[in-house]
Structure formats: structure tokens, C-alpha cells
Amino acid sequence: LTGACDVEGGIDGSSFVKQGYTLSGAPYYKAMHAEKYIYYDPDCMQSTDGTARWIIDDNKPDVTRDHDLDADGACNYIARLNSDDISHPPTSGEWTMNCAGNYQ
């Protein structure tokens, strides 16, 4: 992972290792040297009309939940990339990152 904003620069160069699967069947990953996770959330806002996305978060996903995997009732995370593909995170793409409260 490269290109993080200065606020989240600590994840630049991070490698993520598969930890298992969530209830949806999507894999989730943990950074090798930090408490950062990548996981697929079909609906992070706990509603029926949310956007499915891959998320980078400092909260470990609850693998028993079918949506809002960090159970915060909101879409608060480090970064996201909207996607309908649950098989794996995109190998390339532009993530939207929370840089000190501004999503870029």
C-alpha cells in the first residue's frame, strides 16, 4: 500500500496478510506491523441502501456481522474503495482516504 496522506502515512508500505473470512464470504486482512485492517463491508452505515466497499480501518471487522462490520453505525474508517467484488481487494485503484477529517 502506498500513497497515504500525511495523517495516515504510517500505513504507507504496509503489507497485509489474510486473516480469514467475514460472514459475506469476503476475505479480510491485517497489516503485518500495525492494527490496521482491510475488509469488505456490504453496507457500513447499517442501512439497506449503503454502498458496498473495501475499507481500511483500525477496527478489526466483526466476522459474524453481515454489514457495518465495525459496529459503529456510521462509515468511519481510514480509507475506502467502492466495489461490488467481494473476492479480494482491488490490486490497483484510487482509494478515498480520510485525511484529518477531509476525504480525498
Side-chain angles (χ1 to χ4, degrees):
L1 182 68
T2 60
C5 57
D6 291 340
V7 174
E8 294 295 345
I11 63 173
D12 260 354
S14 293
S15 295
F16 289 79
V17 178
K18 188 186 314 182
Q19 300 294 296
Y21 295 88
T22 64
L23 188 62
S24 72
Y28 75 97
Y29 304 80
K30 181 186 176 297
M32 291 181 68
H33 303 292
E35 291 297 313
K36 307 290 184 197
Y37 298 88
I38 296 177
Y39 59 89
Y40 183 82
D41 199 330
D43 184 355
C44 63
M45 291 180 50
Q46 197 170 350
S47 66
T48 58
D49 62 351
T51 300
R53 58 192 61 174
W54 283 94
I55 290 175
I56 301 174
D57 202 347
D58 51 10
N59 296 308
K60 182 178 180 179
D62 182 340
V63 299
T64 66
R65 296 177 64 93
D66 63 355
H67 61 279
D68 190 22
L69 274 58
D70 63 0
D72 67 356
C75 293
N76 295 322
Y77 40 71
I78 296 168
R80 73 168 185 270
L81 196 149
N82 296 348
S83 175
D84 291 323
D85 181 0
I86 72 166
S87 63
H88 56 78
T91 55
S92 65
E94 189 168 317
W95 292 72
T96 301
M97 182 164 278
N98 184 350
C99 297
N102 296 316
Y103 283 93
Q104 303 176 4

